[in-house]
Amino acid sequence: MATGTFMGIIVKCTKLSLLTFLLMMVGCKQQVNEGKTISKKKSNYIEKNKMEKFDVGKFAAEMLKDEGYSGYYLKDGTYVQEGYMPKPNASSQPFDTSAVLTYDQQIITPDNYTKINEFYASGQLKKSLLMFSVDLETGLWKYYDEQGNLTESIDKDKGYKFTLENVIDFGKAKNIDFYKEGDVNRGFDEKFKKNVWAVSWFERKINEDAVNQIYLLDGDSGAELNHITKPAPVMR
């Protein structure tokens, strides 16, 4: 049984009012990592492990031992989720490497980064993508041929002089740690005709109703273009 593929679930928001988008999504669950040590940069696992090859032998052994195998945890709280996409019409039970089209891997760190890798059946890296927060595309997205040659590299941070690190500092000034919670997104805003950052978080105070803080920031200067405070949705 295939344990899942992750490459088709990335959400990208372009050429829309990001403020409107956030207002529509205000009831969605925001990610919170409680009780974990949060670093000030990408986890060392993402930085030091380029994951140039997938360990096909180890994955096959885990799958033959347990068809429900889906990954493992590291000591720092990083979760490495693994799966595969079977070839069309191929039998997936019991697991057989000859039935694999591609392998998939998500490296989910405690500091809100997710690295998404896809591998050829040989274990050679096919593509490597990086996400932050709920669905922010960031970093260099790299694509490779079956011989391991880099065929394309896309800088997802291009066009934003006000960087992700600047946005995280903005959050800290508002007493919010985007490494732990909240939503960070960006894209071209039709109303302001420019690249913008859209950030939001739930603010909770003792003896007061929770509210949702939503900010729109200029992608070049970081200037506040809009700010809305809304009552947080009531969970029933």
Side-chain angles (χ1 to χ4, degrees), residues 18-37:
L18 288 188
L19 185 64
T20 300
F21 172 76
L22 279 179
L23 290 172
M24 292 171 60
M25 297 297 291
V26 72
C28 292
K29 180 180 180 180
Q30 300 204 29
Q31 295 179 333
V32 179
N33 292 315
E34 299 289 352
K36 296 180 180 179
T37 300

Side-chain angles (χ1 to χ4, degrees), residues 62-109:
E62 294 289 352
M63 287 295 294
L64 291 173
K65 183 169 58 178
D66 178 8
E67 290 183 355
Y69 171 76
S70 61
Y72 55 93
Y73 280 96
L74 301 177
K75 290 181 179 180
D76 69 351
T78 294
Y79 182 61
V80 182
Q81 184 175 348
E82 298 180 326
Y84 73 98
M85 174 65 72
K87 295 176 181 177
N89 302 318
S91 174
S92 59
Q93 292 182 330
F95 176 78
D96 188 333
T97 56
S98 65
V100 173
L101 181 65
T102 57
Y103 294 99
D104 298 303
Q105 186 179 68
Q106 281 195 88
I107 305 170
I108 307 166
T109 73

Side-chain angles (χ1 to χ4, degrees), residues 104-173:
D104 298 303
Q105 186 179 68
Q106 281 195 88
I107 305 170
I108 307 166
T109 73
D111 49 6
N112 229 352
Y113 282 95
T114 299
K115 187 173 185 179
I116 303 172
N117 294 324
E118 183 176 351
F119 302 85
Y120 294 102
S122 64
Q124 188 70 46
L125 184 62
K126 183 177 182 179
K127 63 180 71 172
S128 182
L129 321 176
L130 186 64
M131 309 288 289
F132 179 78
S133 187
V134 178
D135 56 9
L136 175 67
E137 301 174 355
T138 189
L140 289 177
W141 286 29
K142 297 181 179 182
Y143 301 80
Y144 301 85
D145 64 20
E146 293 190 63
Q147 287 69 50
N149 300 307
L150 181 67
T151 59
E152 186 178 13
S153 181
I154 302 174
D155 184 358
K156 290 293 183 175
D157 300 318
K158 186 177 180 180
Y160 292 86
K161 294 180 181 178
F162 195 75
T163 66
L164 175 57
E165 289 72 24
N166 295 145
V167 171
I168 290 170
D169 288 340
F170 170 84
K172 289 179 180 178

